Amino acid sequence: MSSQPNSLLHSDLDSAPPLLPAKVLRNDAEALQVARELAEVAREHAARRDQQRKLPWAEVELFTRSGLGSISVPKAHGGPDVSFATIAEVFRLISAADPALGQIPQNQFGILQLLRLTASEAQQAFVFRSVLEGWRIGNAGPERGTKDTLTLTARITRNGDGYRISGEKFYSTGALFAHWVAVKALDDDGRQRLAFVRRGSPGLRIVDDWSGFGQRTTASGTVLLDQVPVEAALVIDNWRQRDIPNTQGAVSQLIQAAIDAGIAEAAIEDAIKFVREKSRPWVDANVERASDDPYVIADVGRLKLELHAAQALLRKAAQVLDEVSAAPVDAASAARASIAVAEAKVLTTEIALQASEKLFELAGSRATLAEFNLDRHWRNARVHTLHDPVRWKYHAVGAYHLNGTLPARHSWI
């Protein structure tokens, strides 16, 4: 892998436009407290932002300035390196307030995990430092129109001392808000590389054309690259990941599950609030308040139980990831982490969809009015849970327990 001295890497960062200082949090307790505070701010206008498809620029900036964007940076590089249990809880808290704000930084955390596996010491020092200083990382990995999610057509080719990248990306969550756009492309040998492209590089265009009916304000649209120049020092051999037992996929999936858990929690709380304050009881219930309807009570109880089960598996999965990451990761421990997260992902997916749909049955016809925008919960759940199908989670869990089959090694398991 081509690399350059730390001095050159740091001089490149120092020449970038100045950023407002970002706080560096010290520990898990600080991260959780800051996440709770940010969630209260984000919740205030989340429904309106969704309804108007207004991007959460101010909230993303608050997330970064608060220090939450760097909580997974290793201690050796000046970060707090909080537990996966804390990371999952941070994303759950933020996503219960605004799941778009939860989704926007999710790829940054996955990419920071990937750096630990495949980047050189100089590359790690450079990127981790930039994140501590408030730089955001956006995603430009997936493409449309290819055989599957792992197939790439984007190409990275040698150009003097550096590289050039060309291609078209979609589902580029976070790219519009980012300072670094992390681009996956195939090199001349057909190997996958990850390049950190600076925002504003010539030939780079980021298009806000995300039209999904859910997660409307994630700006998960198109990234266009036309012979974009990249320094050799900022190109990572992430193809090496496939040869190393690792937890990168499990970490990515843990955050996905936490976002879904947050969506489910918000849907249930809004259902309860609406039933208490606005719904009328059904005529045959013979009660004064909708909240006294015995069938409504039973359904709310069932939703709460299933939410708590999903939350418990989410916590367990994060604890398994913490345990596995505390020692050298081998094929068996990597599989253990992936299966624990897959089990949580099944339940968080199912409760997010069930709760966001059941809301209307419990709250009644009035709950469908546009002024309340309660359909955002189902739209967000339906779109976000499409990231990877739970039918394959069931298969992975069953094959693991029944036949000892280790799960595939990629970001979707």
Side-chain angles (χ1 to χ4, degrees), residues 280-297:
R280 296 184 296 180
W282 182 241
V283 292
D284 295 327
N286 294 318
V287 294
E288 293 298 317
R289 304 178 306 169
S291 58
D292 290 328
D293 182 323
Y295 293 109
V296 172
I297 291 171

Side-chain angles (χ1 to χ4, degrees), residues 33 80 200 206 227 240 304 316 338 352 403:
Q33 181 57 35
I206 302 172
Q227 293 294 305
R240 297 180 185 276
K304 277 287 190 178
K316 178 187 174 184
S338 288
N403 298 319

Side-chain angles (χ1 to χ4, degrees), residues 119-200:
S120 69
E121 284 294 326
Q123 289 170 328
Q124 289 184 36
F126 175 63
V127 178
F128 287 145
R129 177 187 169 218
S130 73
V131 171
L132 288 169
E133 293 185 358
W135 288 54
R136 289 187 289 271
I137 302 172
N139 179 49
E143 299 179 9
R144 288 193 289 187
T146 55
K147 175 186 175 183
D148 52 42
T149 54
L150 292 177
T151 302
L152 299 177
T153 60
R155 292 293 184 268
I156 180 167
T157 58
R158 269 289 184 181
N159 183 66
D161 293 334
Y163 290 89
R164 297 265 180 182
I165 302 181
S166 292
E168 182 174 334
K169 303 290 185 175
F170 196 63
Y171 307 112
S172 303
T173 303
L176 192 68
F177 305 94
H179 305 92
W180 293 121
V181 180
V183 182
K184 289 181 180 178
L186 299 182
D187 65 15
D188 293 334
D189 297 318
R191 300 175 304 182
Q192 188 183 115
R193 313 290 288 277
L194 181 70
F196 281 80
V197 177
R198 185 191 303 276
R199 179 67 177 270

Side-chain angles (χ1 to χ4, degrees), residues 5 14 39 43 69 72 91 95 110 133 138 150 164 184 208 215 225 231-233 246 266 275 306 339 378 381:
D14 293 340
R43 181 178 289 109
S72 67
F91 274 88
S95 299
E133 293 185 358
L150 292 177
R164 297 265 180 182
K184 289 181 180 178
D208 181 20
Q215 295 297 86
L225 304 111
E231 293 182 38
N246 64 81
V275 168
E306 292 175 1
I339 293 301
W378 181 85

